[in-house]
Amino acid sequence: MSEVKRIKPTLSKGTRDFLPGEVAKRNYIFNTIKSVLRKYGFEEIETPAIEKLETLTGKYGEEGDKLLFKILNSGDYLTEVRSKKTEVASLTSQEITPMISEKGLRYDLTVPLARYVVQHQDDLAFPFKRFHIGPVWRADRPQKGRYQEFYQCDADVIGSNSLLNEVELTKIYVEVFKQLQLPVLVKVNNRKLIDEIFNAVGITDKKGEAITIIDKEDKIGWQGVIDQLIKLELSANQIDDLHRFLINKNYFDFKISFKDSLAAKEVDVVMKHFDKDASVVFSASLMRGLDYYTGTIWEIACPSSSIGSLGGGGRYDNLTEMFGGQNMSGVGISFGIERIYDVLEELQLFPENITQGVKVLFVPREESVEEFTFQQVQQLRDAGIAAEIFLGNVKKQKQFNYVEQKHIAYIVEIGGNEVQSGKFRLRNSQTRDTEQDLTITDIISRLS
Amino acid sequence: MSEVKRIKPTLSKGTRDFLPGEVAKRNYIFNTIKSVLRKYGFEEIETPAIEKLETLTGKYGEEGDKLLFKILNSGDYLTEVRSKKTEVASLTSQEITPMISEKGLRYDLTVPLARYVVQHQDDLAFPFKRFHIGPVWRADRPQKGRYQEFYQCDADVIGSNSLLNEVELTKIYVEVFKQLQLPVLVKVNNRKLIDEIFNAVGITDKKGEAITIIDKEDKIGWQGVIDQLIKLELSANQIDDLHRFLINKNYFDFKISFKDSLAAKEVDVVMKHFDKDASVVFSASLMRGLDYYTGTIWEIACPSSSIGSLGGGGRYDNLTEMFGGQNMSGVGISFGIERIYDVLEELQLFPENITQGVKVLFVPREESVEEFTFQQVQQLRDAGIAAEIFLGNVKKQKQFNYVEQKHIAYIVEIGGNEVQSGKFRLRNSQTRDTEQDLTITDIISRLS
């Protein structure tokens, strides 16, 4: 730190600090997801934040490319541009960018996965079941609940066509949200079924637009969808048919219409594992990400909140093609970590103990007993008990705040008497109940 | 993914992917450090990867500033430059950079900590004991063991002058490396003592250069140090005195020379807690980061490897000043995660079980028994046992590789017989020992 310049500390827009209590809550979500995924045989991987722009560009459409954070080349980049006899004066931002920036921050975890699978295919066990939790970056306009740096959490199976993967992923969704005690609906549909419905109804040209409209059903309701389909100039019959097929949320009724199709069979293989589980529902109107997914699709709805989808995913066939990989079918789900956090907060579903710091705080009443106090604390730690000595401001209020903020369960104050007797008073910081005349061994056995 | 363009998948230079086995080993190191730190009352925080350049610039010296990764502003940044009537044609890279880039990637975890402490001071409990593990970025020339994106791991106490913090941090070092079963020396010195020695020896002007030379003692030996001090034109007496004071690695002999000094008392308070612990040594010649540290300093040496320091730290007084914070004394240590990984690998000290995937793999011999197999696997999972069904290539060799690569302990093959009898053969994948005629309940109780 060679230079001291006073500046007001602020964050870059759309980024966040996390306080200790927030990190604890986020870790609770991450650890819940990780433990379920590991039980199902998924392994964790990591890829760098920085990728070459040639890896990232062109994968997210024109709008997505604009949202990539690009890193300025190091060194004297302008001289390099000029050395190629380029007149800098006449260049537009768009023209100069590829000349002065070769790398960027990852936009999601999917394109890095594709690169990773192709690059390391000889070192991976297939079917490759991986999960990845980490930050991604988008130069989006920040707003409530939308950040420029945020976490994604993806689990995918690459290289297996079996529909039992879909069953497993559905079970994982159910188990994670059950462990989080968050009531959700796991909505299931199948891209092939959507195709069949549109074929049956005779919609071809306007399929894409119709899908975008139907996708808004959650927000505008069926009447809104119908109004917009009329504007799209679908025939009354077509709209009737679509409505009849898509409004049907119950697969076991619905499949009668399409019972001989491959799509219906695929849905059947998955759904029959959940006929006793009301949290997994077939939803014919679920449309998501049509041009990428090719089979089963999911979306997680949370009826107890207005927060929107808490996750989604589907089967896809072209993941590794862009990197010259052989075509491997993949299927994956994602957890909307940031929204899950918000809804657990909103519904007050975070368990109390997850933000707890150490079990007990020892407070020396004067400096002369600090050394003695430290030795007691160290005995607890040696016995594996999380404990602290308070070495801060002697004011009672400061000590009280410390216990409060770090959610410490017990307090032991140490003064001359305690040093002499070797007996301590253990106070519960919540109930204020105390136990007297405890030796350090007593305290260890109480808190173990 | 709107466009498919085949490109060879490669990483940006100086960055890495981590394979599942590597992530498991890294998590083992992280979790070991985290569990010790939590036992001592440290809480985890997180700050964003992206910081404003005004926060980062000027904190790392001129050389450091050059190594900051800078992010290009979004949108039409050149038009913005031109709108300020600036002639782009005449600008140098250095001049245009602040006009087209406002943010960068964090270079370490220390400056973000300083910003964080000042920004959130009203929401933190002081003394603030935090740890932070995360990636940092430097546009350094990549070479063996040096990356552009790498992890740092810091633990600091802000707002307490007590030397018992130093004792705690030393104990944390000892405990972490003991748990990792990695033999190290925790070297301790004190910046004030270094000042006193140089005063006693009468070196003032050339102090900085002399320190830089002495710091190389590990690499060039004492004779090398003496040769260079001669070239620095220190007097023979000064060199003799320096050598006499600094070569002394034993604090309890050494302190006789400086016994009445404040510095010696500070060292004493810390070292007396470790008089029975040979892994903590006083090292008078330890000099590190002189212009930043103001009291105790540490460095971790690993005599069983040539890899260099595995960590270091010290007490400092001016952390928050640059952000206008009131001066709070801080003391912190860091763990050289990347090197610890390399040395654990080199000395083969990673426990075997940490890379283990699920406990058991069920292999359906034909597609018709997949559904049955899946149900067995699900029973294990419902009992909390990590288990998998193999849904990949039917070739024996592929299955074998899968078990091998994911370090799966047991295998159960399922065919028509098993479906009929409900009895299974559990094979240990290492020893190849088998147990016959087990029901699924038997397997659950074996593996629980």
Side-chain angles (χ1 to χ4, degrees):
Chain A
M1 318 229 162
S2 51
E3 189 185 304
V4 174
K5 199 177 78 179
R6 295 199 176 209
I7 53 163
K8 193 169 172 289
T10 49
L11 287 159
S12 179
K13 70 172 179 183
T15 69
R16 292 166 292 171
D17 285 330
F18 296 108
L19 294 171
E22 292 169 325
V23 173
K25 287 173 180 173
R26 288 168 68 87
N27 282 342
Y28 162 71
I29 298 172
F30 296 159
N31 291 337
T32 302
I33 295 171
K34 285 180 183 184
S35 73
V36 174
L37 286 170
R38 290 202 178 107
K39 199 171 79 173
Y40 280 77
F42 286 76
E43 297 182 303
E44 189 172 3
I45 69 159
E46 215 181 303
T47 69
I50 295 177
E51 295 273 0
K52 288 184 175 172
L53 280 177
E54 65 177 44
T55 298
L56 301 174
T57 309
K59 308 303 190 298
Y60 306 105
E62 209 176 307
E63 280 311 301
D65 282 356
K66 281 189 197 152
L67 300 184
L68 291 173
F69 277 117
K70 300 177 184 76
I71 294 168
L72 208 47
N73 290 349
S74 299
D76 188 2
Y77 51 89
L78 273 191
T79 297
E80 209 154 301
V81 173
R82 287 174 183 132
S83 75
K84 287 169 192 148
K85 307 207 170 163
T86 312
E87 283 288 347
V88 174
S90 64
L91 292 172
T92 65
S93 302
Q94 219 179 344
E95 286 163 345
I96 202 173
T97 298
M99 303 177 184
I100 63 175
S101 170
E102 278 160 16
K103 32 185 185 279
L105 296 177
R106 67 182 174 213
Y107 178 91
D108 67 6
L109 303 176
T110 305
V111 168
L113 172 65
R115 180 192 54 66
Y116 183 101
V117 167
V118 176
Q119 199 171 332
H120 305 289
Q121 53 191 314
D122 296 336
D123 301 314
L124 301 176
F126 287 94
F128 179 50
K129 294 165 79 174
R130 84 88 174 83
F131 69 92
H132 188 176
I133 300 180
V136 301
W137 292 266
R138 295 182 187 180
D140 234 329
R141 190 177 303 275
Q143 48 179 259
K144 191 181 175 323
R146 194 204 280 166
Y147 306 101
Q148 295 200 337
E149 174 172 340
F150 61 97
Y151 270 63
Q152 287 194 338
C153 167
D154 289 2
D156 289 80
V157 184
I158 313 291
S160 166
N161 291 308
S162 170
L163 285 162
L164 285 172
N165 293 298
E166 271 86 332
V167 178
E168 291 204 340
L169 290 167
T170 312
K171 292 224 173 241
I172 287 167
Y173 262 147
V174 170
E175 198 163 333
V176 164
F177 287 106
K178 195 176 162 193
Q179 285 197 21
L180 293 174
Q181 300 191 48
L182 182 56
V184 297
L185 282 181
V186 181
K187 292 183 178 179
V188 182
N189 197 6
N190 191 300
R191 156 71 205 269
K192 296 190 186 82
L193 199 58
I194 297 171
D195 291 345
E196 280 180 26
I197 290 171
F198 278 86
N199 284 343
V201 176
I203 301 174
T204 50
D205 292 359
K206 294 173 178 167
K207 188 169 156 184
E209 288 151 290
I211 280 167
T212 307
I213 293 168
I214 295 163
D215 231 4
K216 291 189 277 190
E217 187 240 313
D218 270 0
K219 284 171 203 147
I220 61 177
W222 266 110
Q223 195 51 54
V225 169
I226 290 171
D227 290 348
Q228 294 199 18
L229 291 177
I230 291 172
K231 279 189 200 140
L232 192 62
E233 299 189 344
L234 295 189
S235 74
N237 273 349
Q238 286 175 323
I239 294 174
D240 269 4
D241 281 351
L242 268 184
H243 183 226
R244 187 162 52 85
F245 289 137
L246 296 183
I247 204 171
N248 206 324
K249 303 272 181 189
N250 186 322
Y251 172 67
F252 295 96
D253 295 341
F254 176 84
K255 72 173 174 180
I256 295 162
S257 309
F258 292 92
K259 71 170 185 284
D260 292 327
S261 71
L262 172 64
K265 277 179 194 137
E266 284 198 15
V267 176
D268 206 24
V269 169
V270 178
M271 289 305 294
K272 75 177 180 201
H273 285 89
F274 302 95
D275 50 2
K276 286 174 194 136
D277 187 341
S279 72
V280 179
V281 295
F282 169 74
S283 169
S285 62
L286 174 64
M287 297 277 142
R288 68 182 281 125
L290 190 82
D291 53 350
Y292 179 55
Y293 293 118
T294 54
T296 305
I297 50 178
W298 291 271
E299 199 164 276
I300 305 297
C302 180
S304 2
S305 166
S306 60
I307 204 160
S309 159
L310 300 182
R315 183 172 282 278
Y316 45 85
D317 283 324
N318 294 319
L319 179 72
T320 59
E321 199 188 355
M322 61 184 110
F323 297 107
Q326 61 178 117
N327 261 347
M328 284 185 281
S329 190
V331 58
I333 58 175
S334 72
F335 291 88
I337 296 285
E338 310 283 356
R339 281 192 180 166
I340 291 171
Y341 184 100
D342 289 344
V343 75
L344 288 177
E345 199 71 288
E346 178 193 337
L347 303 177
Q348 301 190 302
L349 290 174
F350 281 114
E352 259 195 36
N353 61 346
I354 55 170
T355 52
Q356 194 176 64
V358 297
K359 274 248 175 85
V360 54
L361 180 73
F362 280 65
V363 181
R365 284 208 197 93
E366 53 209 62
E367 216 184 306
S368 63
V369 301
E370 278 187 1
E371 187 66 45
F372 174 85
T373 307
F374 179 77
Q375 281 158 18
Q376 313 311 307
V377 171
Q378 206 52 36
Q379 284 188 57
L380 267 73
R381 289 168 175 163
D382 289 345
I385 297 167
E388 267 193 272
I389 173 173
F390 185 75
L391 296 171
N393 194 304
V394 291
K395 283 183 196 147
K396 277 276 174 201
Q397 187 56 41
K398 296 277 179 188
Q399 297 169 8
F400 181 75
N401 288 349
Y402 194 82
V403 169
E404 183 105 343
Q405 282 211 31
K406 294 184 89 169
H407 298 97
I408 299 173
Y410 295 95
I411 305 160
V412 176
E413 284 187 84
I414 307 269
N417 285 343
E418 283 77 9
V419 175
Q420 242 178 344
S421 67
K423 297 286 179 62
F424 310 101
R425 198 175 64 161
L426 184 69
R427 194 171 78 233
N428 185 309
S429 68
Q430 295 275 322
T431 64
R432 312 224 135 231
D433 292 344
T434 59
E435 278 193 273
Q436 307 269 8
D437 293 326
L438 301 178
T439 64
I440 204 70
T441 321
D442 294 335
I443 294 179
I444 290 172
S445 64
R446 285 288 184 294
L447 304 183
S448 281
Chain B
M1 316 224 164
S2 51
E3 188 185 304
V4 174
K5 199 177 78 179
R6 293 197 178 212
I7 54 163
K8 193 171 171 288
T10 50
L11 286 159
S12 179
K13 71 172 177 181
T15 69
R16 293 165 291 171
D17 283 330
F18 296 108
L19 294 171
E22 293 169 325
V23 173
K25 287 173 178 172
R26 289 168 67 87
N27 283 341
Y28 163 71
I29 298 172
F30 297 159
N31 291 337
T32 302
I33 295 171
K34 286 180 184 184
S35 74
V36 174
L37 286 170
R38 289 201 179 110
K39 198 170 79 174
Y40 280 78
F42 287 75
E43 297 182 303
E44 189 171 3
I45 68 158
E46 216 180 302
T47 69
I50 296 178
E51 294 272 1
K52 288 183 175 173
L53 280 177
E54 65 175 45
T55 299
L56 300 174
T57 308
K59 308 302 190 302
Y60 307 105
E62 209 176 308
E63 281 311 300
D65 281 356
K66 281 188 196 152
L67 300 184
L68 290 173
F69 277 117
K70 300 176 184 76
I71 295 169
L72 208 48
N73 291 348
S74 298
D76 188 2
Y77 50 87
L78 275 191
T79 297
E80 210 154 301
V81 173
R82 286 173 183 132
S83 74
K84 288 168 190 150
K85 308 211 167 149
T86 312
E87 282 287 345
V88 174
S90 64
L91 292 173
T92 65
S93 301
Q94 219 179 343
E95 287 164 346
I96 202 173
T97 298
M99 303 177 184
I100 64 175
S101 170
E102 279 160 15
K103 33 185 183 280
L105 296 177
R106 68 180 174 214
Y107 177 92
D108 67 6
L109 304 177
T110 305
V111 168
L113 172 64
R115 180 192 54 66
Y116 183 101
V117 168
V118 176
Q119 198 170 332
H120 304 290
Q121 51 191 316
D122 296 336
D123 301 314
L124 302 175
F126 287 94
F128 180 49
K129 295 165 77 174
R130 84 86 172 83
F131 69 92
H132 188 176
I133 301 180
V136 301
W137 291 267
R138 295 182 187 179
D140 233 329
R141 192 178 300 276
Q143 49 180 258
K144 192 183 173 324
R146 194 204 279 165
Y147 306 99
Q148 295 201 334
E149 175 173 339
F150 60 98
Y151 270 64
Q152 287 195 338
C153 167
D154 290 2
D156 289 78
V157 184
I158 313 291
S160 165
N161 291 307
S162 170
L163 285 162
L164 285 172
N165 293 298
E166 272 87 330
V167 178
E168 292 204 341
L169 291 167
T170 313
K171 292 225 174 240
I172 286 167
Y173 261 146
V174 171
E175 197 164 334
V176 164
F177 287 107
K178 195 174 163 196
Q179 284 196 21
L180 294 173
Q181 301 193 47
L182 182 56
V184 296
L185 282 180
V186 181
K187 293 183 177 180
V188 182
N189 197 7
N190 191 301
R191 157 70 206 269
K192 296 191 186 80
L193 200 59
I194 296 171
D195 290 346
E196 280 180 25
I197 290 171
F198 277 85
N199 284 343
V201 176
I203 301 173
T204 49
D205 291 359
K206 294 173 178 169
K207 188 169 154 184
E209 287 151 292
I211 280 167
T212 308
I213 293 169
I214 295 163
D215 231 6
K216 290 188 277 188
E217 186 240 315
D218 270 0
K219 283 170 202 147
I220 62 179
W222 266 110
Q223 195 51 56
V225 169
I226 290 170
D227 291 347
Q228 294 199 20
L229 291 177
I230 292 170
K231 277 188 204 143
L232 192 62
E233 298 189 342
L234 295 189
S235 75
N237 272 348
Q238 286 176 323
I239 294 176
D240 269 4
D241 281 352
L242 269 184
H243 182 224
R244 187 161 53 85
F245 289 137
L246 296 183
I247 203 171
N248 206 323
K249 303 271 181 187
N250 185 323
Y251 171 67
F252 295 95
D253 295 341
F254 176 86
K255 73 173 176 182
I256 295 163
S257 309
F258 293 91
K259 69 170 186 281
D260 293 328
S261 72
L262 172 65
K265 276 179 196 136
E266 284 199 14
V267 177
D268 207 26
V269 169
V270 179
M271 290 305 294
K272 74 177 180 201
H273 284 89
F274 301 95
D275 51 0
K276 286 175 193 134
D277 187 341
S279 73
V280 179
V281 295
F282 169 73
S283 169
S285 62
L286 175 63
M287 297 277 142
R288 68 183 283 124
L290 190 81
D291 54 350
Y292 179 55
Y293 293 119
T294 54
T296 305
I297 51 178
W298 291 270
E299 199 163 278
I300 305 297
C302 180
S304 4
S305 167
S306 60
I307 205 162
S309 159
L310 300 183
R315 184 173 279 278
Y316 45 85
D317 282 325
N318 294 320
L319 179 74
T320 58
E321 199 187 354
M322 61 183 108
F323 296 107
Q326 62 180 115
N327 261 349
M328 284 185 278
S329 190
V331 57
I333 58 175
S334 71
F335 291 88
I337 297 284
E338 310 284 355
R339 282 192 179 166
I340 291 171
Y341 184 100
D342 289 345
V343 76
L344 288 176
E345 198 71 289
E346 178 192 337
L347 303 177
Q348 299 189 305
L349 291 174
F350 281 113
E352 258 193 38
N353 62 346
I354 55 169
T355 52
Q356 195 177 63
V358 297
K359 274 252 175 84
V360 54
L361 181 72
F362 279 66
V363 181
R365 286 209 195 91
E366 54 210 61
E367 216 184 304
S368 64
V369 300
E370 276 186 1
E371 188 64 46
F372 174 86
T373 307
F374 178 79
Q375 281 157 19
Q376 312 311 306
V377 171
Q378 206 52 36
Q379 285 189 56
L380 267 73
R381 289 167 175 164
D382 289 345
I385 297 166
E388 267 192 271
I389 172 173
F390 185 74
L391 295 172
N393 195 304
V394 293
K395 283 183 197 149
K396 278 274 173 201
Q397 186 57 40
K398 296 277 179 188
Q399 296 170 8
F400 181 77
N401 289 348
Y402 194 84
V403 170
E404 183 105 341
Q405 282 211 32
K406 292 185 89 169
H407 299 97
I408 298 172
Y410 295 94
I411 305 160
V412 175
E413 285 187 85
I414 308 270
N417 286 342
E418 283 77 9
V419 174
Q420 245 179 340
S421 67
K423 296 286 179 66
F424 310 101
R425 198 175 65 161
L426 185 69
R427 194 170 80 233
N428 184 309
S429 68
Q430 294 276 320
T431 64
R432 312 226 136 229
D433 292 344
T434 59
E435 276 192 273
Q436 308 268 10
D437 293 328
L438 301 177
T439 65
I440 205 71
T441 320
D442 295 336
I443 293 179
I444 289 173
S445 63
R446 287 284 186 295
L447 303 183
S448 282

